[in-house]
Amino acid sequence: MRVLIAASEAVPFAKTGGLADVTGTLLKVFNGTAGVDAALMLPLYKGIKERFKLAETGIRLVIPVGNARHEGRVWKHDSAYFIECAEFFDRPELYGTKDSDYPDNPERFAFFCKAALEACMALDLKPDVVHCNDWQTALMPAYIKSVYSNDFFRKTASVLTIHNLGYQGIFDPTSFSLTGLGSEWFSAEGAEFYGKVNFLKAGLVSADIITTVSHTYSGEILTPEYGFGLDGVLRKRSSDIFSVLNGIDIKEWDPETDKYIPANYSRSGLNGKALCREALFKDCGLSVGESDNPVISFVGRLSEQKGIDIILETLDDILSAGALLVVLGKGDERYQSGLARVAERHKGRVFVRIGYDDALSHRIYAGSDIFLMPSRYEPCGLGQLIAMRYGTIPVARKTGGLADTISDYQSSDGSGTGFLFEDYNASSLMSRLRHAISVYADKERWKGLVMNALGCDFSWERSAARYAELYKAAFDKKEIN
Ligand code: ADP
């Protein structure tokens, strides 16, 4: 089966969040196993050009976007292809600045979706399945059903994965002409969404198969509470929606071999974790006098989704319960400044680093005791998986992938890998956190929890095999239709 994974980010090339882990790791896993021959298509961002040695394919494309025509060149690195278009992608960020999205995002990703299909034709890379991811590549299934339903893509099926329904690529109706889709697509059955154009919706109505990244989330998105206005569209397609739980790259995230952390450890010896903890105290300027107290961490995007507001609301309670807080994140200005102020006020007990820092994230996952994920919603979440892999116990809201991957601690028999709370508010979070802090005080019981977490298997193999099955199902479905 030949599969083209089309995405706006993938590790190790470009990453702002979990999407990149999924697409990059999937490519790696497929190309190490039989059955799926995968290639990746990405925009050539500035950062990729600077850090990777790419080979020219010699292919040049001219892509119409609205009334303009844009030139693109195709580059290659192993099985990854990159579409170069300096005016769209030679920028410091992927999607926008901290204040706003790039205003030409509809042009940028309409261009990318068309260019990716044109590149396949020019490379004679005929995929059995195009696996698209989120709104940035969601026009591709619509193109394959319409303007590109030519001979070349006649048998190509499409799979669209929703990594986060909160981001749909909704633009002014004037942007519709940029897509190049026929006017019949600007309708309730097409890309139209409350008078605007919605790139994700174009994909949801046309992909052969839709997937999401956890079982719980695949049910949640069918409800108005989590559907972001698309629950009705999704309910109509519910028989084509499947879920494949994300994994993590267990080689990249391995406390036994991790080069970013000051000492290694595993289930057979936890001394290294204590050393990582000591080093984190130094890195973050936490006061040594507090070293008996649990270190609570958060690593992630500082967005409303992630529950930063309830973290800020519980902060005084967290500190009076004797815990310390370490935060690494980047995102909305109001959260960045709110957190920075708190860190300034509580030096030695709260540390905040605003920015994206892969190395520091490893040190935090390894050196902290409790990992916070009080998300409003969480399609799958990788932070909690990485934390458990490092024996750091998640305290998380029981939603989406958090509910599917963390088993709630049971005081009766010490089973479980974390602490879950139901309601999205500061007092529910704090009450579960208090429980975690009280268990932390009992060294034996805590060690049992750490061992449970370290024993979890979040490797990609099972998920990749499931994607391979769904590619086959999409391909068969296309054949029949
Ligand atoms: P999302 O995809 O919603 O952002 P996930 O939990 O699925 O959230 O994935 C987040 C990934 O990005 C994790 O691998 C996490 O470690 C990483 N990450 C997020 N923010 C940062 C940051 N500021 N510095 C380093 N890594 C980060």
Side-chain angles (χ1 to χ4, degrees):
M1 181 99 9
R2 289 194 91 172
V3 176
L4 179 78
I5 301 172
S8 55
E9 49 183 284
V11 290
F13 304 108
K15 168 168 166 175
T16 67
L19 163 65
D21 292 296
V22 177
T23 50
T25 313
L26 212 46
L27 179 76
K28 205 159 100 180
V29 175
F30 281 140
N31 288 344
T33 53
V36 176
D37 173 14
L40 174 72
M41 195 73 74
L42 280 181
L44 182 55
Y45 300 110
K46 193 186 177 106
I48 303 178
K49 245 194 217 166
E50 287 164 359
R51 289 181 299 118
F52 291 87
K53 203 169 160 36
L54 308 178
E56 241 191 296
T57 62
I59 290 169
R60 282 161 191 268
L61 309 166
V62 178
I63 308 290
V65 180
N67 293 326
R69 294 164 81 77
H70 300 271
E71 281 186 29
R73 281 163 77 187
V74 185
W75 296 78
K76 187 175 185 327
H77 184 281
D78 296 331
S79 51
Y81 294 90
F82 301 88
I83 308 283
E84 180 183 32
C85 178
E87 57 186 305
F88 285 148
F89 303 126
D90 214 359
R91 303 183 188 182
E93 301 290 337
L94 270 55
Y95 312 124
T97 62
K98 70 174 167 33
D99 301 317
S100 64
D101 290 343
Y102 291 134
D104 58 353
N105 275 346
E107 281 94 331
R108 296 172 79 221
F109 290 102
F111 166 84
F112 177 68
C113 289
K114 272 192 196 160
L117 294 174
E118 290 285 342
C120 285
M121 287 161 55
L123 291 160
D124 200 24
L125 192 161
K126 195 179 268 193
D128 296 311
V129 176
V130 175
H131 181 181
C132 308
N133 295 277
D134 281 350
W135 72 265
Q136 293 90 343
T137 46
L139 288 179
M140 291 173 77
Y143 287 153
I144 291 172
K145 281 253 156 78
S146 58
V147 270
Y148 284 90
S149 63
N150 52 20
D151 253 9
F152 193 84
F153 292 110
R154 198 166 44 87
K155 289 190 165 172
T156 301
S158 57
V159 171
L160 173 61
T161 298
I162 304 170
H163 297 266
N164 192 333
L165 195 58
Y167 301 85
Q168 299 178 4
I170 300 172
F171 306 106
D172 280 344
T174 48
S175 298
F176 179 73
S177 63
L178 302 171
T179 65
L181 291 166
S183 56
E184 69 280 9
W185 282 82
F186 196 71
S187 63
E189 292 71 41
E192 189 268 338
F193 186 67
Y194 297 102
K196 297 196 165 193
V197 54
N198 182 323
F199 279 22
L200 183 66
K201 184 169 173 250
L204 294 178
V205 299
S206 42
D208 293 301
I209 276 183
I210 297 166
T211 76
T212 64
V213 289
S214 71
H215 177 71
T216 298
Y217 192 61
S218 74
E220 287 173 340
I221 56 174
L222 306 182
T223 68
E225 192 187 347
Y226 291 93
F228 286 96
L230 284 178
D231 45 296
V233 173
L234 288 164
R235 280 197 299 277
K236 276 199 194 137
R237 297 233 43 200
S238 58
S239 60
D240 297 318
I241 301 180
F242 299 87
S243 65
V244 187
L245 198 61
N246 287 339
I248 50 173
D249 183 340
I250 55 168
K251 289 205 181 92
E252 157 86 13
W253 299 104
D254 183 356
E256 223 176 331
T257 54
D258 192 326
K259 300 260 186 310
Y260 288 117
I261 61 178
N264 293 112
Y265 58 93
S266 68
R267 285 190 102 211
S268 47
L270 284 175
N271 277 350
K273 183 155 177 73
L275 295 173
C276 290
R277 193 173 185 277
E278 259 175 48
L280 190 66
F281 267 74
K282 280 209 192 93
D283 282 350
C284 302
L286 300 178
S287 74
V288 183
E290 306 264 5
S291 62
D292 284 342
N293 295 333
V295 178
I296 299 175
S297 61
F298 173 91
V299 177
R301 285 182 295 116
L302 303 178
S303 74
E304 198 181 338
Q305 178 203 339
K306 298 292 174 181
I308 314 297
D309 44 359
I310 59 173
I311 296 183
L312 285 167
E313 237 180 282
T314 41
L315 194 95
D316 287 339
D317 289 337
I318 292 176
L319 295 178
S320 33
L324 307 168
L325 182 68
V326 169
V327 175
L328 166 64
K330 188 174 155 183
D332 296 4
E333 182 50 37
R334 61 191 162 132
Y335 296 132
Q336 295 193 167
S337 52
L339 285 162
R341 267 198 305 276
V342 167
E344 190 54 38
R345 215 178 322 133
H346 299 282
K347 272 204 181 111
R349 303 199 67 201
V350 178
F351 170 85
V352 173
R353 167 73 57 82
I354 300 299
Y356 194 93
D357 187 337
D358 199 31
L360 180 60
S361 78
H362 284 246
R363 293 164 75 91
I364 295 175
Y365 284 118
S368 53
D369 304 300
I370 293 172
F371 189 77
L372 272 189
M373 252 175 117
S375 309
R376 260 179 209 278
Y377 71 95
E378 196 57 75
C380 176
L382 298 177
Q384 83 281 13
L385 305 182
I386 301 171
M388 290 187 268
R389 174 100 175 123
Y390 283 75
T392 300
I393 304 303
V395 172
R397 182 151 174 261
K398 192 175 178 183
T399 183
L402 297 169
D404 294 0
T405 57
I406 299 169
S407 85
D408 201 19
Y409 175 72
Q410 304 296 321
S411 8
S412 51
D413 60 0
S415 64
T417 55
F419 295 82
L420 293 167
F421 65 96
E422 301 247 354
D423 300 327
Y424 184 83
N425 59 51
S427 69
S428 305
L429 162 63
M430 196 56 215
S431 114
R432 209 66 188 121
L433 197 51
R434 272 212 182 86
H435 193 183
I437 292 171
S438 74
V439 178
Y440 180 81
D442 181 335
K443 292 296 164 221
E444 272 316 297
R445 289 221 282 168
W446 191 258
K447 191 172 169 199
L449 252 177
V450 171
M451 286 299 190
N452 294 348
L454 285 171
C456 294
D457 176 8
F458 298 119
S459 60
W460 259 102
E461 275 62 24
R462 200 173 5 150
S463 309
R466 180 77 182 126
Y467 272 116
E469 279 171 22
L470 291 173
Y471 294 154
K472 171 92 176 53
F475 186 72
D476 291 347
K477 188 167 173 229
K478 174 95 180 194
E479 282 241 295
I480 294 165
N481 295 335

